Amino acid sequence: MKEILNKHFFNNSISDYILTLSLLVLVFVIYWFCRQLIEKKISQRKEMTSSKLNSLFIRALLKNVVPFTFLLINYFIINRLHFTPRGEKILDFTINVVVIFFVIRIINYTLHLSVQSYMQLKGEPEARMRQINGILMVIKGLVWITGFLMLLDLKGYDIKTILTGLGVGGIAIALAAQNILSDLFSYFVIFLDKPFEVGNIIKVNNQVGTVEHIGIKTTHIRDIMGELLIFPNAELVKTPLQNISRLNFRRAVVPFDVKLDTSATQLDEMTRGLEALVLSVEHTEFLRACVTGFGEYSIKCELIFNIHCFEYRDFANYRQQVILKLIVHLESLGIRLAQPVRIINSESIIDN
């Protein structure tokens, strides 16, 4: 039996193969047990807490760290065997690919988890959480490219030559795709500066609509007629726009004319009583009420106040309440609103 175990095949004895296989099986059993334990922890977290971050952390452990550790231990076990120079090169290259692959996955997952955790702590809405995925996708792509270049460097390729070629090619690609890159850069500007967010009502190019989607290249806006408007991000960054959803108040200007025979005492009583009149309507802020001048057949007056509301229909309702109270106030003071007067010269009609 001992002679059989000591027999060599491909530079290794049968006992070495048996020991290696036994260790691999043992490691696999431990790996399976750890995986089951972590999956159980995930299910318990879902039942015990509503926080997603802990579950994401455990899931990252399950998808990346545990398999990486398992493969790394297998490598050290297999590396006990003696291989030919070609076999050692293949094994070393394979482990390099595995290490770089899992390191990049761990970096990207950690980056994603950190950004998501930070945004949750800031109380960012779900729309912003989805929007950050576009930026993370670009960053993750750069990390994968860096890992690929590292792999080429380990393989013995001249990275400086490759980077030089990529630089020249990158300039050509940038010139050919400058509109796309401009929209991509504008996407970063929109995300960081936050001129508008998903769900906001904005006005751009005399068109009013609700922002439905902010993509890497375009932003989708649903106008008040139900049509979907698609704007390039670069155009939205360059074009002045109004974010109607961020209105703190709307200003109401109510001009009105009274008859020329209105006395100065009546006008003074009228203007002094308008502040209390405006403030009697909720969500209003009085600014000024004054006589502004003379018309051809009237005395011109003006009432200006702010209404603190977002919806235009609410604004119109509060403004109407103030105007109705204004009419009652004028009637109580005996002041009559001036009406347009048209004078017809009858003599010129007769002459004709």
Side-chain angles (χ1 to χ4, degrees):
M1 185 68 179
K2 187 175 181 181
E3 293 179 357
I4 296 175
L5 295 176
N6 288 331
K7 282 187 177 181
H8 283 67
F9 295 93
F10 303 106
N11 301 325
N12 296 283
S13 65
I14 294 178
S15 61
D16 290 334
Y17 287 122
I18 293 174
L19 179 59
T20 301
L21 182 62
S22 301
L23 291 174
L24 291 176
V25 172
L26 177 62
V27 169
F28 176 78
V29 171
I30 296 173
Y31 165 73
W32 181 85
F33 177 76
C34 292
R35 189 177 182 89
Q36 295 297 318
L37 182 63
I38 293 174
E39 287 179 349
K40 185 178 179 181
K41 287 288 185 182
I42 292 177
S43 61
Q44 288 177 351
R45 287 283 182 181
K46 288 182 179 179
E47 296 175 358
M48 293 173 58
T49 178
S50 59
S51 176
K52 296 181 180 179
L53 293 178
N54 293 329
S55 298
L56 287 173
F57 176 77
I58 298 175
R59 198 173 297 278
L61 195 67
L62 180 64
K63 287 185 176 181
N64 299 300
V65 179
V66 173
F68 175 63
T69 306
F70 170 70
L71 292 174
L72 202 60
I73 293 173
N74 285 342
Y75 165 75
F76 288 119
I77 293 173
I78 295 174
N79 202 37
R80 295 179 63 257
L81 300 175
H82 299 286
F83 294 94
T84 61
R86 181 180 177 83
E88 289 181 357
K89 287 183 179 180
I90 294 174
L91 183 63
D92 290 340
F93 179 73
T94 302
I95 193 62
N96 287 333
V97 172
V98 171
V99 169
I100 291 176
F101 174 79
F102 277 101
V103 167
I104 291 175
R105 285 194 60 177
I106 291 171
I107 290 173
N108 284 340
Y109 208 96
T110 303
L111 176 66
H112 184 90
L113 191 63
S114 301
V115 172
Q116 192 170 12
S117 174
Y118 174 74
M119 295 188 71
Q120 281 189 0
L121 289 174
K122 288 187 67 178
E124 296 283 359
E126 286 296 325
R128 291 275 293 173
M129 301 287 284
R130 290 192 297 269
Q131 190 180 349
I132 192 64
N133 290 333
I135 297 176
L136 289 175
M137 184 174 66
V138 176
I139 297 175
K140 289 176 181 179
L142 294 175
V143 175
W144 278 107
I145 292 173
T146 304
F148 179 71
L149 293 175
M150 290 176 59
L151 184 62
L152 292 178
D153 184 48
L154 292 173
K155 190 65 178 174
Y157 291 98
D158 189 0
I159 299 299
K160 292 182 180 179
T161 305
I162 296 175
L163 290 176
T164 303
L166 289 175
V168 175
I171 294 174
I173 294 173
L175 291 174
Q178 54 183 335
N179 290 334
I180 297 176
L181 294 175
S182 177
D183 290 329
L184 177 60
F185 177 76
S186 299
Y187 175 78
F188 287 112
V189 173
I190 291 172
F191 179 81
L192 296 174
D193 196 42
K194 294 195 290 188
F196 55 85
E197 300 176 60
V198 173
N200 285 173
I201 300 174
I202 65 173
K203 181 179 181 181
V204 56
N205 292 338
N206 293 322
Q207 293 175 307
V208 179
T210 303
V211 179
E212 288 191 350
H213 172 72
I214 303 174
I216 294 178
K217 189 179 188 305
T218 60
T219 295
H220 300 176
I221 300 173
R222 184 77 61 180
D223 71 0
I224 56 177
M225 302 300 294
E227 297 179 352
L228 183 63
L229 308 176
I230 300 176
F231 288 91
N233 290 332
E235 182 179 342
L236 291 177
V237 170
K238 292 185 293 185
T239 305
L241 57 86
Q242 294 175 266
N243 192 331
I244 299 174
S245 295
R246 295 180 183 174
L247 280 174
N248 292 325
F249 62 86
R250 295 175 185 266
R251 179 159 297 180
V253 179
V254 181
F256 60 96
D257 294 358
V258 298
K259 286 186 170 291
L260 275 174
D261 59 1
T262 305
S263 67
T265 303
Q266 288 176 310
L267 291 173
D268 182 56
E269 290 180 5
M270 176 194 71
T271 53
R272 283 189 288 107
L274 286 180
E275 180 175 1
L277 181 148
V278 170
L279 295 178
S280 66
V281 178
E282 59 181 345
H283 303 298
T284 58
E285 176 189 2
F286 176 79
L287 293 181
R288 66 178 181 272
C290 58
V291 176
T292 59
F294 294 94
E296 190 173 358
Y297 302 103
S298 63
I299 299 174
K300 293 184 172 296
C301 305
E302 189 176 65
L303 173 62
I304 302 176
F305 54 95
N306 292 334
I307 300 177
H308 294 268
C309 66
F310 166 68
E311 293 290 344
Y312 186 81
R313 59 185 176 184
D314 294 333
F315 165 77
N317 180 46
Y318 295 134
R319 181 180 58 181
Q320 174 180 295
Q321 293 182 40
V322 172
I323 292 175
L324 294 177
K325 288 178 178 289
L326 171 63
I327 294 173
V328 174
H329 179 60
L330 294 177
E331 291 176 349
S332 67
L333 296 175
I335 300 175
R336 298 177 63 187
L337 293 171
Q339 299 178 352
V341 177
R342 177 180 293 178
I343 298 178
I344 300 175
N345 192 342
S346 59
E347 292 181 0
S348 62
I349 296 175
I350 296 172
D351 292 339
N352 291 333

